Amino acid sequence: QGQLVDSGGDSVQAGGSLRLSCVGSGYPYTKYCLGWFRQAPGKEREEVATIDRDGTTTYATSVKGRFTISKDKDKNTLYLQMDNLKPEDSAMYYCAADYPSTYCALGNWNFWGQGTRVTVSS
């Protein structure tokens, strides 16, 4: 059975950086569509970034230029490098997989990590 385990969340000051990781097991997730999502208290879940089989990426406008999504096939791991963090980036972050889609057009996210919390103070 497949599983995603995300980690790396922490409390940082505005302007700081964090790198989130999402380790997959059970399936070669990096061959498929992967994404990062976040949800702040009282707000709807937001798609932050996606990466497909070929490495094509998409970003939410709010994080473009500050966040970078990447993956390591050998480690079956997804990353989210977050730089120049802002208080509005504070949220629970989740990795997800649209298995077995190789491209992210459909967004049928059917595997989720348990979430990792990011808190950015001003």
Side-chain angles (χ1 to χ4, degrees), residues 46-80:
E46 175 188 18
E47 181 182 292
V48 175
T50 67
I51 185 167
D52 69 15
R53 181 190 70 177
D54 298 333
T56 300
T57 58
T58 66
Y59 295 94
T61 302
S62 59
V63 307
K64 200 171 292 185
R66 300 188 297 120
F67 290 11
T68 304
I69 189 171
S70 63
K71 59 184 178 179
D72 185 324
K73 290 192 300 183
D74 293 336
K75 296 181 179 179
N76 205 23
T77 299
L78 177 71
Y79 300 101
L80 185 68

Side-chain angles (χ1 to χ4, degrees), residues 13-30:
Q13 290 195 326
S17 297
L18 284 174
R19 188 176 80 157
L20 306 184
S21 299
C22 174
V23 180
S25 62
Y27 299 104
Y29 289 105
T30 57

